[in-house]
């Protein structure tokens, strides 16, 4: 019977498919080679992303972008701080600030017209030499006021700062001087010391020194200029008066039709600067 099944002429043997080799059986895990855990999709994603593979060029670009973002953030924060005082200002305060800016623009226009008028007078005068001497003398008087070598009088304001707590510092008084100059002050005197272009202020204990001259509170400013411009400049929101009042100082600003600035400065010859016409 077995011989007949193995015969090549047996039709049943031809219909059977060839035997498929069995798949190899993986060896059972041992203590020396434990079975590897099967990775899920999330694990494969994490394994592909970490640790990150960053090239040098990518690192440089990332640092540049970080620096740019940090700079923009600082700029936005700075602008927000500068605008915070104006956001909380009342409508009348904003109107006053705009009026002050308009007044400054008008003063510049008036100065421009004055210079153009002087030029026309020199060009049209029959005696140009005499006209030049007159304008030179007038200019010398104006420069003497700015340099503090001559006394001056005119309309303006007085500002008295009473500092009983000793909290007012030199930089606060310097801010007041700068604000007054920006508002058109033509002559300034602080406690008997004339303020000029080279004036400097330093802290001296609980007092302040102006050009090396020690002054004590109350600090009294005598300022010549247009009172309608000077006083509002000191009282703008976040300005000089509010800053000093935050330091528990008392500030009183008074307008006057006649302010006398009589503190003088000695004429000082420059050590190195000379006229380019020589």
């Amino acid at each position: 019977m077995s011989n007949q099944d193995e015969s090549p002429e047996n039709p049943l043997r031809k219909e059977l498919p060839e035997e498929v080799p069995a798949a190899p059986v993986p060896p059972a895990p041992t203590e020396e080679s434990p079975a590897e855990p099967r990775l899920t999709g999330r694990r494969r994603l994490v394994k592909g992303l970490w640790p990150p593979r960053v090239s040098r060029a990518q690192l440089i670009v990332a640092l540049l972008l970080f620096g740019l973002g940090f700079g923009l953030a600082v700029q936005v924060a700075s602008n927000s701080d500068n605008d915070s005082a104006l956001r909380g200002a009342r409508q009348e305060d904003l109107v006053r600030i705009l009026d002050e800016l308009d007044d400054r623009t008008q003063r510049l226009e008036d100065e421009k017209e004055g210079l153009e008028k002087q030029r026309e007078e020199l060009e049209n005068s029959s005696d140009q030499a005499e006209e030049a001497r007159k304008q030179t003398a007038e200019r010398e008087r104006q420069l003497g006021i700015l340099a503090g070598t001559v006394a001056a009088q005119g309309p303006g304001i007085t500002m008295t700062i009473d500092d009983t707590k000793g909290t007012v510092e030199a930089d606060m008084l310097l801010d007041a001087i700068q604000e007054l100059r920006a508002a058109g002050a033509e002559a300034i005197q602080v406690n008997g010391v004339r303020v000029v272009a080279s004036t400097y202020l330093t802290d001296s204990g609980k007092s302040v020194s102006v050009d090396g001259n020690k002054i004590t509170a109350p600090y009294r400013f005598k300022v010549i200029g247009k009172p309608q411009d000077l006083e509002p400049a000191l009282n703008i929101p976040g300005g000089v008066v509010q800053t000093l009042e935050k330091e528990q100082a008392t500030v009183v600003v008074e307008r006057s039709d006649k302010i006398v600035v009589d503190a003088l400065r000695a004429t000082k010859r420059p050590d190195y600067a000379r006229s380019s016409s020589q």
Side-chain angles (χ1 to χ4, degrees):
M1 185 67 178
S2 60
N3 292 334
Q4 187 178 358
D5 294 339
E6 294 176 358
S7 175
E9 289 82 3
N10 191 346
L12 297 177
R13 182 64 178 176
K14 292 181 180 180
E15 294 177 359
L16 292 176
E18 295 181 359
E19 294 182 0
V20 179
V25 178
T30 62
E31 295 181 357
E32 289 78 6
S33 58
E36 294 183 0
R38 185 176 181 181
L39 297 179
T40 63
R42 179 178 299 178
R43 289 180 177 271
R44 287 198 297 271
L45 178 61
V46 172
K47 187 175 181 180
L49 295 177
W50 188 265
R53 299 173 180 85
V54 181
S55 64
R56 183 178 180 182
Q58 291 174 332
L59 181 60
I60 294 176
V61 172
L63 292 175
L64 291 176
L65 291 176
F66 174 77
L68 178 61
F70 181 76
L72 291 175
V74 172
Q75 183 67 29
V76 170
S78 176
N79 292 337
S80 299
D81 293 339
N82 293 335
D83 296 339
S84 59
L86 293 179
R87 290 197 192 101
R90 298 174 300 175
Q91 182 177 359
E92 52 266 28
D93 293 332
L94 295 175
V95 172
R96 185 171 58 185
I97 293 174
L98 291 176
D99 291 341
E100 181 185 349
L101 294 176
D102 292 339
D103 292 338
R104 292 183 183 180
T105 303
Q106 186 61 44
R107 286 197 302 272
L108 293 176
E109 291 291 338
D110 294 341
E111 184 176 355
K112 176 184 176 183
E113 292 178 1
L115 293 174
E116 291 177 349
K117 183 178 180 180
Q118 291 180 7
R119 184 187 64 183
E120 292 176 357
E121 290 176 351
L122 285 173
E123 292 175 349
N124 300 329
S125 176
S126 57
D127 189 353
Q128 294 185 0
E130 179 63 25
E131 184 65 27
R133 282 193 293 270
K134 289 170 59 178
Q135 292 191 12
T136 300
E138 177 63 21
R139 190 63 176 170
E140 181 181 3
R141 185 186 67 83
Q142 295 175 358
L143 292 176
I145 293 176
L146 296 177
T149 57
V150 298
Q153 67 177 20
I157 64 169
T158 59
M159 179 175 65
T160 305
I161 303 173
D162 193 3
D163 180 28
T164 58
K165 302 291 185 180
T167 56
V168 176
E169 299 178 349
D171 59 340
M172 301 176 188
L173 299 184
L174 179 60
D175 289 342
I177 292 174
Q178 298 286 34
E179 191 65 43
L180 290 169
R181 283 173 171 170
E186 298 176 353
I188 304 175
Q189 177 176 316
V190 183
N191 286 33
V193 181
R194 188 72 168 266
V195 176
V196 295
S198 60
T199 292
Y200 63 93
L201 289 83
T202 58
D203 291 317
S204 180
K206 290 189 177 182
S207 59
V208 177
S209 293
V210 181
D211 291 335
N213 301 292
K214 187 176 181 179
I215 62 175
T216 57
Y219 304 109
R220 183 177 177 84
F221 286 68
K222 298 170 68 175
V223 187
I224 296 178
K226 188 176 180 181
Q228 294 83 349
D229 295 337
L230 298 175
E231 183 182 4
L234 298 173
N235 288 291
I236 61 174
V240 173
V241 173
Q242 284 192 3
T243 301
L244 292 171
E245 288 178 346
K246 286 181 180 179
E247 299 298 330
Q248 299 182 353
T250 303
V251 184
V252 178
V253 180
E254 297 177 348
R255 300 186 185 186
S256 177
D257 294 332
K258 183 179 179 181
I259 298 292
V260 177
V261 174
D262 52 6
L264 302 181
R265 303 291 291 262
T267 303
K268 183 179 179 180
R269 181 181 178 84
D271 295 328
Y272 304 101
R274 296 291 182 270
S275 174
S276 59
S277 61
Q278 294 180 355

